[in-house]
Amino acid sequence: MQKTIGVLTAMNIEYRHVAAMLSETETVQSGPQEFLIGKMGESKVVLLQCGIGKTNAASGVTNLIMSFHPDYIISTGAAGGIDAKLNVMDIVIGKEVCYHDVICGDNYDPGQVQGLPRFFSGNAHLIDIATSLQTDIRIVPGLICTGDQFITNRDELNVIKEKYPEGLAVDMESAAIAQVCHLWNVPMLSFRIISDTPGVDAHFEQYLNFWDTMAEKSFAVTKEFLSKI
């Protein structure tokens, strides 16, 4: 049976890389969002550029689930590396994802939304596929931390690492997507390419250099992952 894979990116540059992987494409408008429908191998892929941040991500994935009923949801694109063992072009897969900027009061753990788990788990089947890929790009399972901040300096990074010492990467969408998938019981995985490492000298130049020189090779691994689901 053909699988339907929902894929969300935040930025247009990420969207273009994924869109180029698809064949037999068509666009479908649903509410305020335009979806690109295509094929990858035997699977149907529904691609959305949801926009940056938690609200855009939650709105987009909810519409995707309600309109297309996907078997799996993948959050992909770039993320900032916040652990010394990671380098630009490494891929972090979200064994767990969480919020780094949510505080609901003294009765809840940092990052925990009332009535929900503090950590949202990535789907075990998707993690197995991702970790079994044969590639010279390093794939590391671990914790991805989400918040409505583009992390740029060491002080911001240190605040997150103090709360989540095990955190490997930061982005602005994955936990919101995971929360919606948790509520709808849709298997989900965040598959994020490290584009920059906040806190280093010339951080923004590092980020731009990733898109200029490295992104194509990294997104080839994303294509391989999606083709094996």
Side-chain angles (χ1 to χ4, degrees), residues 92-119:
V92 175
I93 55 172
K95 188 174 182 180
E96 293 183 310
V97 298
C98 69
Y99 295 111
H100 67 72
D101 63 348
V102 168
I103 300 174
C104 285
D106 294 339
N107 294 328
Y108 301 95
D109 291 327
Q112 183 182 16
V113 176
Q114 183 177 2
L116 293 170
R118 184 186 186 193
F119 299 100

Side-chain angles (χ1 to χ4, degrees), residues 24-223:
E24 301 178 32
T25 58
E26 63 173 328
T27 57
V28 175
Q29 189 76 30
S30 178
Q33 284 132 350
E34 184 179 270
F35 297 86
L36 184 68
I37 316 299
K39 291 190 66 177
M40 182 177 291
E42 299 301 315
S43 296
K44 174 183 176 181
V45 174
V46 181
L47 173 63
L48 173 65
Q49 181 191 340
C50 63
I52 292 171
K54 295 183 295 186
T55 300
N56 281 328
S59 172
V61 72
T62 300
N63 193 358
L64 197 161
I65 290 170
M66 294 181 70
S67 298
F68 300 99
H69 311 288
D71 297 288
Y72 301 104
I73 292 286
I74 307 299
S75 168
T76 196
I82 59 168
D83 193 275
K85 69 184 177 185
L86 292 175
N87 297 307
V88 173
M89 288 184 64
D90 289 346
I91 291 172
V92 175
I93 55 172
K95 188 174 182 180
E96 293 183 310
V97 298
C98 69
Y99 295 111
H100 67 72
D101 63 348
V102 168
I103 300 174
C104 285
D106 294 339
N107 294 328
Y108 301 95
D109 291 327
Q112 183 182 16
V113 176
Q114 183 177 2
L116 293 170
R118 184 186 186 193
F119 299 100
F120 299 101
S121 297
N123 177 258
H125 173 62
L126 296 175
I127 292 171
D128 286 345
I129 293 172
T131 54
S132 68
L133 297 176
Q134 299 299 310
T135 173
D136 59 352
I137 291 180
R138 193 161 60 125
I139 297 174
V140 184
L143 177 64
I144 297 173
C145 305
T146 295
D148 279 322
Q149 286 178 275
F150 183 71
I151 305 301
T152 60
N153 63 54
R154 175 62 57 179
D155 290 340
E156 294 167 336
L157 186 156
N158 288 343
V159 169
I160 296 170
K161 287 293 279 187
E162 185 176 349
K163 294 179 185 176
Y164 301 103
E166 70 275 33
L168 298 182
V170 288
D171 71 8
M172 298 176 67
E173 297 82 29
S174 287
I177 293 169
Q179 178 179 331
V180 173
C181 289
H182 172 82
L183 295 171
W184 285 84
N185 197 30
V186 178
M188 176 267 182
L189 188 67
S190 183
F191 190 92
R192 291 284 179 152
I193 302 160
I194 299 301
S195 61
D196 56 292
T197 49
V200 301
D201 293 337
H203 165 256
F204 190 62
E205 288 80 0
Q206 180 191 54
Y207 175 76
L208 294 177
N209 184 58
F210 168 79
W211 291 111
D212 289 341
T213 64
M214 306 177 193
E216 186 171 346
K217 183 176 181 181
S218 297
F219 274 91
V221 183
T222 306
K223 181 178 181 180

